[in-house]
Amino acid sequence: MKLLVTGGAGYIGSVVAELATDAGHEVVVLDDLRAGFRAAVPQGSRLIVGAIGDPAALAQAFASGPFDAVMHLAAEAAIEESTTNPALYFQVNLADSLTLIDAMRAHGVARLVLSSTAATYGEPRQVPITEDHPQAPVNAYGESKLMLETCLRWYHRAYGLRTVAFRYFNAAGATAARGESRRHETHLLPLALDAMAGRRPPLRVFGHDYPTPDGTCVRDYVHVADIARAHLLALERIDQLGLAFFNLGSETGYSVRQVLDAVARTLGREVPSEPAPRRPGDPAVLVASAARARAELGWQPEAGLDAIIRSAWEWRQRHPHGYRE
Ligand code: UFG
């Protein structure tokens, strides 16, 4: 297939582009490189530098089609920032995304694989979280993605747009070639590994009084390559599915403390850490049920937490400063 991958220079998008290219798909990446890196884009896929909300960039991107599908991963995705600057999140994740989808419609592209998020659920009423769990986001990031999901339900009904939306839980880990690199890092595992290596100050553990066994937040970490694989499975099934929403998680929750312990156990070195206040917008527990993706896509995550940690560390050792451009 010929695919347009937005955000294909970013962490998850570049791994989707990598696996898609390896599987024989032809990939064009659209990325404005504000958060992404040129070096993350796989050899053999074309990069168009531009924003999803920019009509000129969209015209250029779609002129390099026709595309069989769009994989839309470009987004603002920092939960805490979304609580202080919601305008950015609604602009990019909702308004600009709709501009992209309008361009798809104008160019007759009828398949969309969307990256959505576990943050659309808010504080879970029960775990593991199934896809029909009520969605009540507690941050503007989750709300912006939920609003886009809602639009897509209507677009499917009115325009027949076929959509598979993936609600990612916590993407982590690396392939041999691509890993987690941000100009401003906020995520647990890369910060913990850098703290362990002495490249950053001790990790600040946000919150010790959550209603969890050890008081720190529980998350469901899923390997980025497992996430990317689900996108390729979605391409095979999207015409039959029509409109579908899938959690992508490992179905296992680890607290922040347990992740730091797993790093120490797996890599043989302690992560220096210190207690810190809660971070705004963090739900206490997010753990997926992945039963639907298993049943309908035949998807099964392959890597557990230790493999995630090892892969992230191997990549980090080869790229101690991440991508440079
Ligand atoms: N954490 C710390 N210290 C840090 C960084 C993180 O204690 O320095 C904690 C957070 O409070 C949270 C956990 O580690 O409890 C994981 O935090 P991340 O920032 O790595 O990830 P989030 O759970 O906040 O968010 C990620 C993605 C979102 C997605 C969400 C869904 O970034 O896009 O997972 O589970 F919506």
Side-chain angles (χ1 to χ4, degrees), residues 117-184:
T117 172
T120 58
Y121 294 114
E123 283 291 351
R125 295 186 196 167
Q126 83 271 337
V127 285
I129 300 170
T130 56
E131 288 83 355
D132 45 21
H133 184 285
Q135 290 176 289
V138 294
N139 50 61
Y141 167 58
E143 187 74 68
S144 66
K145 290 284 191 175
L146 176 58
M147 290 167 92
L148 183 58
E149 285 191 7
T150 303
C151 293
L152 290 167
R153 292 180 195 273
W154 292 102
Y155 283 30
H156 174 68
R157 195 183 291 184
Y159 310 127
L161 181 68
R162 278 158 263 165
T163 299
V164 170
F166 286 121
R167 297 178 188 146
Y168 307 154
F169 283 64
N170 286 56
T175 66
R178 288 180 181 77
E180 207 165 356
S181 175
R182 297 184 184 84
R183 293 181 180 88
H184 174 62

Side-chain angles (χ1 to χ4, degrees), residues 117 141 170 186-188 191 204 206 217 219 279 282 286:
T117 172
Y141 167 58
N170 286 56
T186 62
H187 289 76
L188 177 61
L191 289 177
R204 302 174 68 223
F206 296 137
C217 284
R219 293 288 180 273
R279 188 175 66 172
D282 276 346
L286 288 172

Side-chain angles (χ1 to χ4, degrees), residues 7 9-15 33-37 40 73 75-79 81 89 141 168-173 179-192 194 200 221-222 224 227 279 312 315-316 319-325:
Y11 171 46
I12 304 174
S14 66
V15 177
L33 301 181
R34 269 188 316 139
F37 298 89
L73 295 100
E76 297 291 338
I79 286 177
E81 181 191 43
Y89 284 72
Y141 167 58
Y168 307 154
F169 283 64
N170 286 56
E180 207 165 356
S181 175
R182 297 184 184 84
R183 293 181 180 88
H184 174 62
E185 188 53 80
T186 62
H187 289 76
L188 177 61
L189 191 54
L191 289 177
D194 276 1
R200 286 188 195 261
Y221 297 88
V222 53
V224 65
I227 288 182
R279 188 175 66 172
W315 192 83
R316 199 70 192 161
H319 303 84
H321 307 288
Y323 299 115
R324 288 176 186 274
E325 58 159 332

Side-chain angles (χ1 to χ4, degrees), residues 22 38 41 65 88 91 96 107 124 127 132 137 172 174 179 181 224 283 290 307:
D22 289 353
R38 200 176 285 275
V41 177
L88 177 67
Q91 180 62 47
D96 293 349
H107 291 86
V127 285
D132 45 21
S181 175
V224 65

Side-chain angles (χ1 to χ4, degrees), residues 130-307:
T130 56
E131 288 83 355
D132 45 21
H133 184 285
Q135 290 176 289
V138 294
N139 50 61
Y141 167 58
E143 187 74 68
S144 66
K145 290 284 191 175
L146 176 58
M147 290 167 92
L148 183 58
E149 285 191 7
T150 303
C151 293
L152 290 167
R153 292 180 195 273
W154 292 102
Y155 283 30
H156 174 68
R157 195 183 291 184
Y159 310 127
L161 181 68
R162 278 158 263 165
T163 299
V164 170
F166 286 121
R167 297 178 188 146
Y168 307 154
F169 283 64
N170 286 56
T175 66
R178 288 180 181 77
E180 207 165 356
S181 175
R182 297 184 184 84
R183 293 181 180 88
H184 174 62
E185 188 53 80
T186 62
H187 289 76
L188 177 61
L189 191 54
L191 289 177
L193 294 178
D194 276 1
M196 182 194 81
R199 279 193 292 266
R200 286 188 195 261
L203 183 92
R204 302 174 68 223
V205 177
F206 296 137
H208 287 75
D209 55 354
Y210 285 99
T212 61
D214 65 18
T216 66
C217 284
V218 170
R219 293 288 180 273
D220 179 336
Y221 297 88
V222 53
H223 197 286
V224 65
D226 282 327
I227 288 182
R229 240 175 354 93
H231 289 66
L232 301 185
L233 293 170
L235 288 179
E236 293 171 16
R237 301 272 299 119
I238 191 166
D239 289 345
Q240 292 91 320
L241 290 166
L243 174 71
F245 300 85
F246 293 105
N247 290 338
L248 293 181
S250 71
E251 306 190 310
T252 310
Y254 294 97
S255 72
V256 174
R257 210 47 284 153
Q258 286 176 311
V259 171
L260 301 184
D261 290 347
V263 171
R265 194 182 58 241
T266 309
L267 303 179
R269 286 160 75 180
E270 293 293 328
V271 178
S273 67
E274 62 186 32
R278 286 185 179 201
R279 188 175 66 172
D282 276 346
V285 179
L286 288 172
V287 179
S289 161
R292 185 185 285 179
R294 206 164 36 242
E296 295 189 28
L297 296 176
W299 179 78
Q300 183 83 36
E302 288 170 4
L305 183 61
D306 292 359

